[in-house]
Amino acid sequence: MEKIGRIESLFKVTKCVCFTRFIMDVPVGATVVYGRMTVDAEIERYEERAFEAEKIIELQMSENREGYRLFGRGGEIDKLAEAPISTNDDRVKHVVGITGFNKYSLDTFVVLGRDVYVLNNKGILRREIYKFMRDNEVVASMLRIRLENDIPEEDGVCIDGAFTPQNPDFENIELGMRLAEFPDVHLSISIIKHSDYAEPQEEFLIRHNEALNRSRASGLGEWVDRLRFLRKAQRKLNGWNGYEILTQFPAWESAKEGHQFAFWSSGAPNDPLNPQVDIKLDTGIKGNNTRGVPSSLTDDEAIALWDRLLNSIRIRPVKADKKKSSYLPTVPEIPTGTQQCTDSTCLASGWWQSFDSGAVEPVRWIAKGDRMPPIHFRQEQTWRDKLFDTQRVVLGGGMWQLMRHGERDVPPRF
């Protein structure tokens, strides 16, 4: 009991950590580090780097130049990769990269307070570029600063240093925690909300048993036999139906004795409060070596720490009067001059014009939500066409520019 008291003393003073839609209590001296963050787009934080935002953007441009040299073909979309793209928000800029034939990347840079956030999109098709720009601008418009002790009272997602009142199709966050009192102990949490898929819960045990079988097959049967499973059973945590395996590893060759505890819940599709949850606690870590030093915790202490942390995880309270409006961001009107390519989804109803030479019908009214149409191009007349006074027309891709918002029955004047 005296040694378990070391764990109790850790929690005399705690702080609350917010991650996605959940909170947990950790010792006040704990170091919490966020890893991968995704709110539809993957998000990276450059902490305290707002003063050098232009330098960060130029670095990305430099990395993209090789792709432009290899795959750039000089079309309208490829030209977007030549320089950073400004938006209606001075804090937000896009950088387009060319990663293959008809494959692009988009990095959207957002200055938020003293930080810079980057929204990363990979594997984009040519016709999708403007849609991803628009989606990222909506995400950027809703990001707001969140201090370490700030626990929002409305629906939305907590990420490192920020909050967004969104309900994205895909959300993911990874974070880790270390303790100054026990530097060999590391807790990691991964939360993933899937839009339409949840892995069967049994897969966790299947993977565990397969790992043990592979170890035996590779000559580590004696080591497997010496593993001690302190717990191996179903567990319900914060309403999540899951499974936990608490393992004590023996010393083996150069590896020291230690622990690895794991909780897994597969969650449910499209349920932000019942996501896929993967939590692990390791002891005996030194640098990047998972069994670099003997565990500083006994079995009982490791279990006490594990239970104390996991039992504090709960849904972040949301005030009733803030539930409905959080998912309804104010989207700024699409400005005239906006350009979109053929096959992209039209962002605004109005009169659009093609400036491509040879366009037969350069001005058209296009409804919001419709596909941007192909452009009719005049082909050069052959001697036969000239003889019979005919003009052949072909369809091709191109760029449309919004010239005026308005109804279809009001003729354009520009």
Side-chain angles (χ1 to χ4, degrees):
M1 291 298 295
E2 181 180 350
K3 286 198 172 183
I4 294 181
R6 293 199 302 169
I7 302 302
E8 291 302 314
S9 66
L10 280 178
F11 290 88
K12 286 182 177 179
V13 182
T14 62
K15 61 183 177 182
C16 193
V17 176
C18 184
F19 54 102
T20 65
R21 303 170 189 276
F22 308 98
I23 53 177
M24 70 180 298
D25 299 322
V26 303
V28 70
T31 300
V32 177
V33 178
Y34 289 79
R36 184 179 181 182
M37 302 180 291
T38 308
V39 183
D40 281 342
E42 191 159 331
I43 301 177
E44 184 178 3
R45 181 190 186 191
Y46 289 83
E47 190 172 0
E48 300 284 341
R49 302 272 305 270
F51 69 96
E52 53 181 347
E54 295 301 324
K55 181 179 178 180
I56 296 171
I57 293 173
E58 178 53 36
L59 182 61
Q60 186 63 55
M61 290 292 301
S62 298
E63 293 179 3
N64 290 352
R65 287 189 181 110
E66 181 66 10
Y68 184 85
R69 185 185 69 82
L70 292 173
F71 304 111
R73 292 296 178 267
E76 291 291 337
I77 297 298
D78 288 3
K79 288 181 180 178
L80 296 176
E82 295 178 355
I85 302 166
S86 298
T87 69
N88 292 334
D89 188 336
D90 293 338
R91 303 174 305 122
V92 181
K93 286 186 178 180
H94 301 294
V95 171
V96 174
I98 307 175
T99 57
F101 296 108
N102 195 27
K103 288 290 184 181
Y104 298 83
S105 64
L106 175 66
D107 295 284
T108 300
F109 295 81
V110 186
V111 176
L112 189 67
R114 297 180 178 179
D115 302 335
V116 176
Y117 287 83
V118 186
L119 283 59
N120 309 119
N121 306 96
K122 309 294 183 185
I124 305 172
L125 299 178
R126 182 179 291 111
R127 65 174 182 269
E128 298 174 324
I129 283 288
Y130 287 107
K131 175 186 179 300
F132 276 89
M133 284 185 182
R134 185 61 180 164
D135 290 347
N136 284 0
E137 287 174 27
V138 171
V139 173
S141 71
M142 290 191 288
L143 277 179
R144 72 169 188 246
I145 298 170
R146 183 181 67 84
L147 301 178
E148 182 182 15
N149 59 353
D150 179 18
I151 307 300
E153 297 180 331
E154 60 185 292
D155 281 331
V157 179
C158 286
I159 61 173
D160 186 15
F163 175 80
T164 177
Q166 283 184 266
N167 188 19
D169 291 330
F170 182 83
E171 54 192 66
N172 170 38
I173 199 163
E174 297 174 355
L175 74 158
M177 184 202 74
R178 294 241 180 178
L179 300 170
E181 296 85 350
F182 303 104
D184 66 299
V185 177
H186 180 224
L187 179 83
S188 64
I189 300 176
S190 172
I191 300 284
I192 302 176
K193 172 207 163 187
H194 292 285
S195 60
D196 55 8
Y197 174 76
E199 186 179 68
Q201 184 65 42
E202 297 77 18
E203 290 295 320
F204 174 66
L205 289 179
I206 291 173
R207 288 194 296 271
H208 171 74
N209 292 330
E210 287 177 345
L212 295 180
N213 291 336
R214 285 195 301 271
S215 296
R216 289 186 184 279
S218 63
L220 295 175
E222 182 182 348
W223 174 79
V224 172
D225 291 337
R226 290 176 58 192
L227 295 176
R228 291 193 301 118
F229 296 103
L230 309 179
R231 266 191 220 155
K232 194 174 182 180
Q234 293 181 346
R235 179 170 183 174
K236 191 163 187 175
L237 175 67
N238 186 42
W240 305 325
N241 293 312
Y243 206 97
E244 72 174 355
I245 300 177
L246 311 189
T247 310
Q248 194 274 339
F249 289 89
W252 185 262
E253 297 181 349
S254 62
K256 311 300 183 183
E257 65 178 26
H259 304 88
Q260 184 177 83
F261 296 173
F263 171 84
W264 169 271
S265 176
S266 59
N270 203 31
D271 186 348
L273 299 183
N274 190 15
Q276 176 184 298
V277 180
D278 185 7
I279 307 176
K280 290 186 176 68
L281 184 140
D282 287 275
T283 71
I285 292 179
K286 182 179 181 181
N288 294 324
N289 189 345
T290 53
R291 299 288 172 260
V293 295
S295 173
S296 61
L297 301 180
T298 66
D299 293 347
D300 288 342
E301 287 177 323
I303 292 174
L305 177 62
W306 172 257
D307 286 340
R308 186 67 181 261
L309 290 169
L310 266 62
N311 288 338
S312 75
I313 297 175
R314 57 206 184 271
I315 297 172
R316 176 169 46 82
V318 174
K319 287 189 174 181
D321 61 347
K322 295 187 178 182
K323 286 185 177 180
K324 293 184 179 180
S325 61
S326 298
Y327 298 142
L328 300 175
T330 300
V331 180
E333 184 181 74
I334 302 297
T336 56
T338 295
Q339 293 186 339
Q340 289 191 244
C341 61
T342 296
D343 287 337
S344 63
T345 302
C346 181
L347 299 175
S349 297
W351 291 96
W352 295 75
Q353 182 171 1
S354 168
F355 292 95
D356 291 287
S357 60
V360 176
E361 192 181 5
V363 177
R364 295 185 60 173
W365 188 90
I366 305 171
K368 180 180 178 180
D370 287 353
R371 286 286 179 187
M372 299 302 290
I375 297 172
H376 295 71
F377 293 99
R378 297 182 182 89
Q379 275 197 326
E380 184 177 352
Q381 285 183 306
T382 65
W383 67 269
R384 185 181 295 274
D385 294 329
K386 293 177 181 178
L387 179 63
F388 293 99
D389 193 24
T390 59
Q391 177 66 63
R392 288 186 295 169
V393 175
V394 296
L395 298 179
M399 297 297 298
W400 294 92
Q401 181 170 312
L402 179 61
M403 305 303 292
R404 198 190 71 194
H405 296 273
E407 297 302 322
R408 189 168 193 167
D409 57 355
V410 180
R413 291 181 182 177
F414 47 80

